[in-house]
């Protein structure tokens, strides 16, 4: 058995549209009794939110197979007794708040009393939120980013991502964040540990060279790039060897035949 870790945006769906070959690929892997998990940099939804979204799109999975960066953030704070007592200022959406509340992490908007500023995707980001994060970080709060994706794919084209918000806070404070999402290996390591797999039998499937593929390579897992999201063929030609995936497919329609050829 192998562990297959899928990104979500650009691999499983774009916006509310399921991508071609997804159901067939997942069904094929389930038929072979492979382990399937989902690891997303997108912190806008909690595990519960992603479970609802995938169910709505006709994808059956379980809560313990979902690892969005909102949940990874909660894990970061709960894996250490001292960190669990932290007071956290959040720039983000309901999914991030939900996971931190579920983990019983104290959330505050008082900039005088903040241990960490956690920044994720926030479609209601404004100058007031920028000021709060700015003040708290300059007063000594540690700066954490759920991810630094500058864009994310929707049905037609892309939208600005959490990375654009992180950059604004970085620029105003002169501070760089601790990153929890890909290309950091915190997420992929968490999935492998929780599921009991080694890098040798882990396959990461994603649509971004600089996050998914780089994280997979850093973790020494097998990497498969799907050209259904952000990365295009022309990007591959310009990419350095450190970002080149082990395998490339145009969509998940091609995954079953690829799996048969590599196993």
């Amino acid at each position: 058995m192998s562990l297959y870790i899928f990104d979500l945006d650009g691999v499983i769906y774009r916006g509310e549209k399921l991508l071609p070959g997804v159901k067939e690929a997942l069904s094929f892997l389930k038929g072979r009794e492979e382990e399937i998990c989902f690891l997303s940099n997108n912190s806008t939804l909690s595990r519960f939110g992603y479970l609802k979204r995938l169910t709505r799109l006709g994808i059956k999975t379980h809560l313990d197979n979902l690892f969005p960066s909102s949940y990874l953030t909660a894990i970061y704070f709960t894996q250490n007794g001292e960190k669990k007592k932290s007071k956290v200022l959040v720039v983000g959406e309901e999914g991030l708040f939900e996971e931190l509340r579920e983990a019983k992490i104290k959330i505050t908007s008082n900039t005088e009393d903040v241990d960490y500023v956690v920044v994720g995707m926030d479609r209601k980001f404004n100058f007031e939120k920028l000021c709060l994060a700015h003040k708290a970080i300059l007063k000594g709060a540690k700066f954490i980013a759920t991810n630094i994706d500058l864009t994310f794919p929707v049905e037609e084209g892309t939208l600005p991502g959490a990375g654009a918000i992180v950059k604004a806070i970085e620029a105003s404070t002169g501070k760089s964040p601790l990153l929890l999402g890909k290309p950091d290996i915190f997420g992929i390591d968490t999935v492998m540990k929780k599921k009991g797999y080694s890098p040798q039998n882990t396959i990461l499937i994603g649509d971004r060279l600089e996050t998914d593929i780089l994280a997979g390579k850093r973790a020494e897992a097998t990497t498969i790039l799907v050209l259904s999201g952000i990365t295009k063929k022309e990007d591959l030609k310009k990419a350095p060897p450190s970002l080149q995936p082990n395998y490339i497919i145009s969509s998940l329609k091609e995954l079953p035949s690829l799996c048969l050829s590599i196993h």
Side-chain angles (χ1 to χ4, degrees):
M1 274 177 67
S2 295
L3 170 63
Y4 283 79
I5 303 176
F6 289 83
D7 187 25
L8 287 169
D9 291 290
V11 175
I12 301 296
Y13 51 69
R14 286 188 78 116
E16 290 299 319
K17 186 181 173 188
L18 197 67
L19 286 163
V22 170
K23 286 186 180 176
E24 295 82 355
L26 296 178
S27 176
F28 169 81
L29 294 175
K30 282 175 186 170
R32 284 162 55 107
E33 298 187 334
E34 309 287 16
E35 185 103 44
I36 299 168
C37 288
F38 301 96
L39 175 65
S40 175
N41 269 2
N42 192 330
S43 65
T44 59
L45 296 176
S46 64
R47 287 165 295 156
F48 300 95
Y50 279 110
L51 187 63
K52 283 180 192 169
R53 172 178 271 196
L54 289 169
T55 302
R56 194 166 65 242
L57 291 170
I59 305 295
K60 287 182 182 173
T61 187
H62 301 286
L63 210 58
D64 59 3
N65 294 331
L66 295 168
F67 295 85
S69 63
S70 51
Y71 178 47
L72 295 179
T73 306
I75 291 173
Y76 174 80
F77 283 107
T78 54
Q79 67 184 3
N80 172 302
E82 278 307 303
K83 283 197 185 83
K84 192 160 185 183
K85 299 174 192 167
S86 302
K87 291 171 185 169
V88 179
L89 175 74
V90 178
V91 175
E93 297 193 12
E94 187 51 34
L96 189 50
F97 281 92
E98 203 177 302
E99 288 289 2
L100 289 172
R101 282 196 298 260
E102 178 83 9
K104 297 184 167 52
I105 303 303
K106 187 165 184 190
I107 297 168
T108 182
S109 55
N110 179 0
T111 57
E112 302 294 323
D113 195 27
V114 177
D115 301 305
Y116 288 87
V117 174
V118 173
V119 182
M121 179 61 183
D122 187 344
R123 283 167 288 197
K124 291 185 178 173
F125 183 64
N126 57 22
F127 189 70
E128 184 186 352
K129 290 181 181 182
L130 176 58
C131 287
L132 286 173
H134 173 88
K135 283 178 189 170
I137 291 166
L138 291 185
K139 282 183 180 292
K142 295 183 180 76
F143 180 13
I144 289 181
T146 61
N147 73 90
I148 50 171
D149 296 8
L150 293 173
T151 59
F152 70 93
V154 290
E155 287 93 337
E156 298 297 327
T158 61
L159 289 175
I165 296 168
V166 170
K167 286 279 185 196
I169 296 168
E170 251 185 297
S172 74
T173 60
K175 305 285 185 184
S176 296
L178 168 72
L179 176 63
L180 298 181
K182 299 167 283 183
D184 194 87
I185 61 168
F186 178 66
I188 188 170
D189 273 354
T190 299
V191 181
M192 288 192 293
K193 280 176 193 161
K194 282 191 178 280
K195 296 296 180 178
Y197 286 83
S198 68
Q200 289 70 40
N201 52 8
T202 298
I203 297 102
L204 184 77
I205 300 127
D207 71 312
R208 279 182 186 265
L209 294 175
E210 73 282 8
T211 55
D212 303 316
I213 302 307
L214 183 54
K217 294 191 77 146
R218 283 176 172 171
E220 300 183 343
T222 299
T223 55
I224 301 174
L225 178 74
V226 190
L227 299 172
S228 53
I230 294 292
T231 305
K232 302 302 171 200
K233 275 185 182 172
E234 51 271 27
D235 300 321
L236 277 163
K237 291 172 190 167
K238 295 179 272 183
S242 62
L243 296 182
Q244 293 293 336
N246 296 106
Y247 302 97
I248 302 155
I249 54 178
S250 59
S251 78
L252 288 188
K253 277 182 181 176
E254 297 170 26
L255 187 63
S257 56
L258 175 61
C259 291
L260 291 170
S261 71
I262 62 178
H263 288 295

